[in-house]
Amino acid sequence: MLELLADPNAWASLLTLTALEIVLGIDNIIFLSIVSGRLPVHQQQMARRIGLGLALLMRIALLASIAWIIGLTQPAFTVLDHEVTWRDLVLGGGGLFLLVKGTMEIHQMAEGHEEGSQAGTASLFAAIVQIVLLDIVFSLDSVITAVGMADDLPVMIAAVVIAIIVMLVASEPVSAFVNRHPTVKMLALSFLLLVGMALVADGLHYHIPRGYLYFAIAFSAGVECLNLIAANARRRRQEQERAAKRRREPGTA
């Protein structure tokens, strides 16, 4: 352990892997914010913490079972000359779940059924089940990435723990922001569809470089930020115009 602390390569691996784990965790935070937003207000924070706590436990358990993880990438059976692994099944199933979940949420918003997405319309148990299912998918993808980038188990565990702590701190403001702005929530649901499509493609052995996905997400988020700034500016200008109009009306102070 002391040798790792004095090894600059270990520190470089830790920093690189931590940054990558945080980026991969964006998907998890977005899903947590959408699922927890349906819970009663007093249960939302608890659901997010339970979800991230389970994600941490799953990732540490998976890292401790590296031999089993490597086995998941070996062919399990063949379909029409196409080798299928257990990893393909997990990623493909998780991607389909995200596509179904994102489509249903977008349908409710687009059809004007916002009341079905408001706080208090879901149970804590149902939310935890959904969070656990996606934690399995995201954790498996995250751990396989960690195993491919670092050689030392303590470094991988440290990177995962740091990333989960960052996600725990960021989950509250991100969830509040997403659920407060309907347009941002729609954009977040679109991100889930994008991630779901990428997971299904991975399950079919068509890898889409994550850099393309995150660039699209970052660009769209930047455009939405500009839209929100412009909307706030219009709202302030309208309020100023209404205030000025009231002052010009006869009989007003």
Side-chain angles (χ1 to χ4, degrees):
M1 188 65 181
L2 293 177
E3 294 178 356
L4 284 177
L5 293 176
D7 185 0
N9 292 326
W11 283 103
S13 297
L14 176 63
L15 292 175
T16 304
L17 187 55
T18 300
L20 185 58
E21 291 290 331
I22 292 172
V23 172
L24 291 174
I26 293 173
D27 312 332
N28 214 336
I29 292 179
I30 291 175
F31 184 78
L32 279 175
S33 66
I34 292 173
V35 173
S36 63
R38 283 172 165 262
L39 295 171
V41 176
H42 67 279
Q43 292 182 343
Q44 292 180 7
Q45 186 180 62
M46 180 173 62
R48 288 190 287 267
R49 290 181 176 177
I50 291 175
L52 290 174
L54 291 173
L56 176 60
L57 293 177
M58 287 182 187
R59 293 179 191 192
I60 292 177
L62 290 173
L63 283 172
S65 309
I66 292 178
W68 181 72
I69 290 297
I70 294 174
L72 290 178
T73 61
Q74 302 301 316
F77 54 89
T78 303
V79 177
L80 299 177
D81 296 328
H82 179 78
E83 294 182 342
V84 180
T85 67
W86 290 110
R87 175 181 181 270
D88 297 337
L89 294 177
V90 172
L91 294 181
L96 290 175
F97 178 79
L98 279 181
L99 290 174
V100 172
K101 179 67 176 176
T103 301
M104 291 175 63
E105 293 281 348
I106 289 175
H107 173 77
Q108 284 192 333
M109 293 188 67
E111 291 293 323
H113 302 310
E114 290 87 354
E115 66 276 4
S117 300
Q118 296 301 315
T121 59
S123 68
L124 180 62
F125 177 77
I128 295 296
V129 169
Q130 294 181 63
I131 290 170
V132 168
L133 290 176
L134 262 296
D135 272 344
I136 293 173
V137 177
F138 290 136
S139 295
L140 184 62
D141 201 22
S142 171
V143 168
I144 290 175
T145 301
V147 171
M149 289 193 61
D151 299 322
D152 300 297
L153 182 60
V155 172
M156 291 186 279
I157 292 178
V160 167
V161 170
I162 295 172
I164 291 293
I165 291 174
V166 172
M167 290 164 59
L168 182 61
V169 173
S171 64
E172 299 302 322
V174 170
S175 297
F177 185 76
V178 168
N179 291 311
R180 189 166 59 246
H181 299 281
T183 56
V184 174
K185 185 175 181 179
M186 182 68 78
L187 190 62
L189 290 170
S190 301
F191 294 164
L192 287 184
L193 293 180
L194 194 63
V195 173
M197 180 201 67
L199 290 176
V200 171
D202 279 344
L204 295 174
H205 295 186
Y206 294 102
H207 179 67
I208 300 175
R210 290 297 188 266
Y212 294 147
L213 299 183
Y214 292 123
F215 173 78
I217 290 173
F219 182 81
S220 300
V223 172
E224 183 59 26
C225 285
L226 293 177
N227 286 334
L228 291 175
I229 292 172
N232 289 332
R234 285 195 301 270
R235 186 161 50 250
R236 287 195 300 268
R237 185 168 60 252
Q238 291 171 355
E239 291 174 354
Q240 292 172 355
E241 290 174 353
R242 285 195 294 267
K245 183 178 180 180
R246 285 195 298 269
R247 287 195 297 268
R248 289 195 300 268
E249 290 177 355
T252 58

